[in-house]
Amino acid sequence: MTGWSTADIPPLNGKTAVITGATGGLGYETALALAGAGATVVLTGRNETKGRRALEEIRNKFPGARIAYEDLDLAKLASVADFAARFAATHDSLDLLINNAGVMALPKRQETADGFEMQLGTNYLGHYALTAHLLPLLRRGNQPRVVNLSSLAHRSGTIDFDDLQGAKSYNPFKAYCQSKLAMLMFALELQRRSNAAGWGLLSNAAHPGYALTDLIANGPGSRGLLGRLGKILQPFASQSAAEGALPTLFAATSPQAEPGGYYGPNWFYELKGPPVPAKIMRQARDAAVAARLWDVSAALTGVSFDRVAVAA
């Protein structure tokens, strides 16, 4: 696996991929690489103008790319359901779902359209619902995979069932860490459930290390003393969005990527470098907490994997 790059992506002709948050940053770089390898790629996002621009840029690099853009707002469960319905109306199957979109450490507590804390709702609950809606198509896919984007921040995360939505006490980074821990736990639990129910999925996760994206540039850490320190360290400890997308691409395409695997950069503290197996913290491996989170998520979103699987 040492030195793995986009040159190692196998041919993806005939594969169909959906990527959330694909109009910029990690999602765009992921879409670009998959399109270049021959996959049919559906980029999703909240901004149609940015979506059209992303399509144009990818077509400039790969004129024959099979790509499309669709509106999808993970902070609105109705938007998630609408996208899934539109996709199902035009596609018989789905081979690859990359749950990439996210928001980071919002200074003030905000809520989604459904009343969820914004980071939990966008980063995790929206992806939970999307994956459930798309399960029938994934089950009909060719060696289907689901890749969840987690973060080094999962190491500091806990699932606070007593205040899951941060309504009692909101802390920007605590909420972000919880959402990214939830994404990793979701990936591991999805693999367990797939194994038990025979869904046929390969579910894994990845993180980009310290990748320079708009999430970092526009986040609260970009200001003040922390922001100045970050700019000093960036040349040594960070990598580009294209490099940060490599763990995701490895998880999504490599024959070496394992069910329930987690991948990140190989350098100090997994900050940068080519993809290797990443450290999974003990709390992320807690199957009892993951099962409870799964049930709570089903209740909150009103979407049940079990009902969808039976319907499929």
Side-chain angles (χ1 to χ4, degrees):
M1 192 191 300
T2 303
W4 193 92
S5 72
T6 53
D8 296 300
I9 297 175
L12 300 176
N13 302 83
K15 293 271 192 177
T16 300
V18 168
I19 308 172
T20 66
T23 60
L26 299 171
Y28 169 80
E29 296 295 343
T30 302
L32 177 67
L34 295 180
T40 297
V41 184
V42 178
L43 294 77
T44 73
R46 297 178 297 172
N47 186 315
E48 186 176 355
T49 300
K50 290 182 66 176
R52 289 197 302 267
R53 187 182 308 128
L55 295 182
E56 182 179 354
E57 290 173 357
I58 293 174
R59 290 192 178 110
N60 285 339
K61 295 179 181 178
F62 301 110
R66 292 180 289 272
I67 51 178
Y69 169 80
E70 290 282 348
D71 284 319
L72 170 59
D73 187 349
L74 290 158
K76 298 178 181 178
L77 291 178
S79 175
V80 173
D82 286 347
F83 166 79
R86 294 197 310 273
F87 187 85
T90 54
H91 296 80
D92 295 326
S93 63
L94 176 61
D95 307 302
L96 177 58
L97 172 61
I98 299 181
N99 291 323
N100 164 83
V103 293
M104 180 180 180
L106 302 177
K108 293 183 179 180
R109 186 181 183 278
Q110 301 178 38
E111 291 188 350
T112 69
D114 304 283
F116 306 138
E117 186 277 315
M118 185 65 73
Q119 295 183 81
L120 185 74
T122 302
N123 298 356
Y124 168 62
L125 289 171
H127 283 127
Y128 174 93
L130 176 66
T131 307
H133 283 303
L134 293 175
L135 179 61
L137 297 181
L138 285 163
R139 293 184 64 189
R140 293 195 289 269
N142 179 12
Q143 298 179 317
R145 296 191 188 192
V146 178
V147 181
N148 281 357
L149 264 290
S150 184
S151 167
L152 285 167
H154 98 271
R155 298 185 179 192
S156 301
T158 57
I159 305 299
D160 185 358
F161 289 111
D162 292 331
D163 191 21
L164 197 63
Q165 308 287 348
K168 298 176 183 177
S169 177
Y170 177 73
N171 177 285
F173 283 100
K174 179 183 177 183
Y176 180 69
C177 293
Q178 176 181 249
S179 73
K180 286 304 182 177
L181 173 60
M183 282 295 277
L184 179 52
M185 297 182 79
F186 176 35
L188 302 181
E189 183 66 10
L190 180 60
Q191 188 63 66
R192 287 190 286 264
R193 303 250 175 171
S194 177
N195 291 346
W199 294 340
L201 304 180
L202 189 161
S203 173
N204 59 22
H207 79 81
Y210 183 12
L212 297 179
T213 68
D214 288 344
L215 193 68
I216 299 294
N218 299 327
S222 64
R223 299 182 289 274
L225 178 61
L226 185 60
R228 292 194 293 273
L229 179 61
K231 289 178 181 178
I232 294 172
L233 293 175
Q234 277 178 4
F236 309 101
S238 67
Q239 59 186 358
S240 68
E243 291 167 322
L246 288 177
T248 299
L249 290 164
F250 180 89
T253 69
S254 175
Q256 296 175 274
E258 297 181 351
Y262 182 45
Y263 302 96
N266 73 346
W267 195 63
F268 172 75
Y269 201 71
E270 300 175 12
L271 290 171
K272 66 178 183 177
V276 295
K279 181 177 181 180
I280 301 176
M281 298 300 285
R282 184 169 62 179
Q283 66 266 32
R285 297 186 185 276
D286 191 323
V289 172
R292 182 181 177 188
L293 179 63
W294 183 284
D295 292 341
V296 168
S297 303
L300 288 171
T301 62
V303 183
S304 167
F305 274 77
D306 294 330
R307 285 199 298 270
V308 169
V310 170

